[in-house]
Amino acid sequence: MGYTHFPLGDFDLVYPFFKRPYTWPSTHHVHLCVSGSEQEQDHIAFRDYLRCNPAAAAAYVELKRGLAAVHHGLTMQSQEQYSLAKTAFIRSALSESLVQAMRTR
């Protein structure tokens, strides 16, 4: 499919990164994680949280649009800054998804 592994040091041991094209700027990227791992569980919980919470999904869209306007994505550093800037939102959503899961039990 045209994806090439892009080595990220120790990060590769947990969450390998592939992109296309290999040169910057890339237009697509994929992270792999082990089925059943904590990373996969977090991805699924975040996805499900956004699906069940339209206001949170809309807020995430706005956050991503704002960050895309600030971080051009033409370099690895810019892409990393964009990703890191989403961290607080994602952690908050994951915490809220746990609270919601506890309420439904």
Side-chain angles (χ1 to χ4, degrees), residues 66-74 77-79 81-82 85:
L67 293 173
V70 174
H71 304 288
H72 54 70
L74 299 176
Q77 180 181 5
S78 175
Q79 269 193 355
Q81 290 171 339
Y82 168 85

Side-chain angles (χ1 to χ4, degrees), residues 20 50 58 73 105:
R20 72 176 200 207
L50 294 178
R105 288 184 182 167

Side-chain angles (χ1 to χ4, degrees), residues 3 8 11 15-19 29-33 43 83:
Y3 288 89
L8 296 173
F11 192 65
Y15 212 45
F17 181 73
F18 295 79
K19 64 189 205 107
H29 72 270
V30 175
H31 292 278
L32 300 181
C33 62
H43 281 293
S83 292

Side-chain angles (χ1 to χ4, degrees), residues 3 11 30 51 55 58 68-69 76 80 82 85-87 96 101 103:
Y3 288 89
F11 192 65
V30 175
R51 285 180 175 174
M76 182 171 175
E80 184 176 13
Y82 168 85
K86 296 184 300 179
T87 300
E96 182 60 28
R103 287 183 195 145

Side-chain angles (χ1 to χ4, degrees), residues 21-56:
Y22 187 75
T23 57
W24 293 100
S26 58
T27 57
H28 298 78
H29 72 270
V30 175
H31 292 278
L32 300 181
C33 62
V34 174
S35 179
S37 68
E38 182 178 339
Q39 288 81 17
E40 182 191 40
Q41 291 171 15
D42 284 349
H43 281 293
I44 292 169
F46 183 64
R47 177 203 66 195
D48 291 349
Y49 176 78
L50 294 178
R51 285 180 175 174
C52 293
N53 295 278

